[in-house]
Amino acid sequence: MRQIALDTETTGMDINAGNRVVEIGCIELSQRQPTGRSFHCYLNPDRDSEPGALLVHGLTREFLSLKPRFGEIADEFLDFIDGAELLIHNAAFDVGFLDREFSLLGRAERLAARNPITDTLKLARERHPGQRNSLDALCRRYQVDNSARSFHGALLDARLLADVYLAITAGQGSLSFEPVTDALQLRAERIHVSLPRRVATAQEIAAHQARVSAIEARSGKPSLWQLWAVAAEREAVLS
């Protein structure tokens, strides 16, 4: 059984606003084991990213201007995913954008007609109803190390998604480049302790915001705190 964890980054969330794909990342699994094969490319979207998206993935128009356009890699991409089950978190989003890219080329390819697709967000919601099921939340729940995820990146997120999928489906394999501990064993061994919880006051929150604003004013760019907040807001949409 051949499976491919797939993720994309885009210039914005709204496909109807003319947003485009700027990055594709794929990780191949065979018989629930990583093969070491991957597909990764940055794409020139011929437009700016929306401010919120730029804060999430950090891919500027200047950086992407020298990258290939989707039409230049479309066949290579299709060859890589040919015959595989696609594992995609919030599949409607990524599939919609990729199908739109093919439409802009005048091509009739539709991923759902070519490949079986498993939406891991739907799978996670079935396993954990009423809980947060963003990729970051699932990494925390299944002890998948996502410490390198300061920015969203399609290839990194595909690697994390593959590990999360193997854990959530109780698979006996994981990717070699990120350690994953069996979630059931963790739950059996975890020691439960009660820790005091302190909520920030309105005055403390205001002081914090003022401090962050001052740092941003001196540096001339968004703070890491702001980047994290925007990324967390995007993850909340997917949870």
Side-chain angles (χ1 to χ4, degrees), residues 50-67:
E50 295 178 353
L54 187 59
L55 287 173
V56 169
H57 56 60
L59 301 175
T60 65
R61 185 168 188 173
E62 180 182 14
F63 171 78
L64 295 171
S65 64
L66 300 178
K67 304 304 179 183

Side-chain angles (χ1 to χ4, degrees), residues 5-220:
L6 184 154
D7 187 64
T8 65
E9 296 297 334
T10 65
T11 59
M13 298 287 286
D14 186 359
I15 194 172
N16 295 316
N19 284 303
R20 304 286 301 276
V21 176
V22 295
E23 186 183 8
I24 302 173
C26 301
I27 294 293
E28 183 184 64
L29 303 175
S30 180
Q31 304 301 321
R32 299 179 61 84
Q33 295 290 332
T35 67
R37 295 185 68 228
S38 63
F39 175 88
H40 179 241
C41 64
Y42 296 107
L43 297 169
N44 180 0
D46 291 310
R47 58 158 289 165
D48 291 323
S49 288
E50 295 178 353
L54 187 59
L55 287 173
V56 169
H57 56 60
L59 301 175
T60 65
R61 185 168 188 173
E62 180 182 14
F63 171 78
L64 295 171
S65 64
L66 300 178
K67 304 304 179 183
R69 292 176 173 82
F70 183 80
E72 298 175 60
I73 60 87
D75 289 331
E76 182 183 359
F77 168 63
L78 289 178
D79 286 344
F80 185 84
I81 66 172
D82 188 45
E85 175 189 7
L86 303 181
L87 312 174
I88 309 175
H89 205 65
N90 192 26
F93 178 86
D94 300 86
V95 171
F97 269 94
L98 289 168
D99 284 351
R100 172 65 63 86
E101 292 291 341
F102 283 112
S103 294
L104 293 174
L105 296 175
R107 297 176 57 163
E109 279 88 357
R110 295 295 179 268
L111 291 191
R114 295 177 54 96
N115 300 74
I117 297 174
T118 294
D119 187 341
T120 53
L121 177 59
K122 180 180 178 181
L123 180 64
R125 285 172 172 168
E126 292 171 352
R127 297 286 195 278
H128 309 287
Q131 301 183 50
R132 289 181 57 83
N133 289 300
S134 66
L135 185 56
D136 277 337
L138 291 170
C139 284
R140 289 191 294 271
R141 188 171 300 142
Y142 288 100
Q143 305 298 307
V144 174
D145 182 7
N146 65 344
S147 58
R149 199 184 189 221
S150 55
F151 278 104
H152 287 229
L155 187 61
L156 172 60
D157 286 0
R159 288 175 175 172
L160 295 174
L161 179 59
D163 268 352
V164 164
Y165 172 79
L166 293 174
I168 202 172
T169 56
Q172 297 300 311
S174 68
L175 298 173
S176 60
F177 29 69
E178 294 291 352
V180 183
T181 308
D182 185 87
L184 296 177
Q185 185 66 23
L186 277 172
R187 282 198 289 271
E189 296 178 353
R190 185 177 294 128
I191 299 174
H192 296 278
V193 295
S194 296
L195 297 175
R197 181 182 181 188
R198 183 176 183 273
V199 179
T201 65
Q203 292 83 357
E204 289 170 334
I205 294 174
H208 170 74
Q209 295 288 2
R211 178 62 174 168
V212 170
S213 296
I215 292 172
E216 292 179 333
R218 287 198 300 271
S219 67

